[in-house]
Amino acid sequence: MIHRGKRFDFELVRETLPDGRESSREVVRHPGAVVVLGLTDDQRIVLIRNHRVAVEDTLWELPAGTMEPPEPASVCAARELEEEGGFTASDVQPIAEFFTTPGMTDERMHAFLATGLAQSEQRLDDDERIEVHLKPVQTVFDMIEDGSLCDAKSMLALLIAARRGMIPTPTS
């Protein structure tokens, strides 16, 4: 263990390669996370503007967050949609699971579609400054095309949901 963090741990992992040489890598140990594609009854998507210190920019994203073990991913998804997006959902269903950056972390992302939305209040952490925007499905896919939505977890959740017919398919 290199460092125990508030949410993540940093570990030095040593392994023996097939040719007998030793290798070591620094790995981020992560409890898992969710990304939530909130879809309103009138086919708008819940997007947030979220300042990200690591990239020194404010990004367009879907609501997302870190799981709090032993919290199930679906419970975390409903919680994050309300905390960041200001909505509750009557239905939360899985879209896909994927590793975010397997070259450096074991973080597994769980993507969900949330429907039957009802407005509630955001419950942001003290250090969060998140703006909520409702955008038509086509507009969100146009944002992927023009590069204004460049968050990978959000893009992947949107693209898989569209491919599987879970949300309307964009026209271009």
Side-chain angles (χ1 to χ4, degrees), residues 50-58 127:
N50 192 3
H51 182 73
R52 294 298 191 174
V53 173
V55 296
E56 299 177 349
D57 201 0
T58 300
D127 62 345

Side-chain angles (χ1 to χ4, degrees), residues 39-110:
L39 183 66
T40 65
D41 291 341
D42 63 352
Q43 306 299 291
R44 292 183 297 161
I45 292 173
V46 178
L47 282 183
I48 61 172
R49 294 281 290 157
N50 192 3
H51 182 73
R52 294 298 191 174
V53 173
V55 296
E56 299 177 349
D57 201 0
T58 300
L59 302 179
W60 287 103
E61 302 178 19
L62 295 174
T66 302
M67 294 167 56
E68 297 174 3
E71 177 182 49
S74 60
V75 172
C76 181
R79 176 177 56 77
E80 289 294 343
L81 179 65
E82 185 168 15
E83 286 179 6
E84 292 189 352
F87 286 91
T88 59
S90 64
D91 187 43
V92 176
Q93 57 184 299
I95 297 171
E97 292 181 19
F98 51 91
F99 290 106
T100 59
T101 316
M104 62 173 277
T105 181
D106 61 356
E107 179 183 13
R108 180 183 294 269
M109 181 71 60
H110 304 262

Side-chain angles (χ1 to χ4, degrees), residues 1 4 9 14-15 17 29 34 43 54 63 67 76 78-79 95 97-98 107 111 125 136 141 159-160 163 169:
M1 185 65 56
R4 277 206 193 279
D9 295 332
R14 292 183 178 90
E15 67 178 346
L17 301 174
R29 297 296 184 193
V34 300
Q43 306 299 291
M67 294 167 56
C76 181
R79 176 177 56 77
I95 297 171
E97 292 181 19
F98 51 91
E107 179 183 13
D125 292 338
F141 280 91
L159 294 168
I160 293 173
R163 174 85 177 170
T169 305

Side-chain angles (χ1 to χ4, degrees), residues 35 37 62 95 98 111 152-162 167:
V35 58
L37 196 175
L62 295 174
I95 297 171
F98 51 91
K153 68 184 178 300
S154 300
M155 293 188 304
L156 188 56
L158 287 156
L159 294 168
I160 293 173
I167 63 172

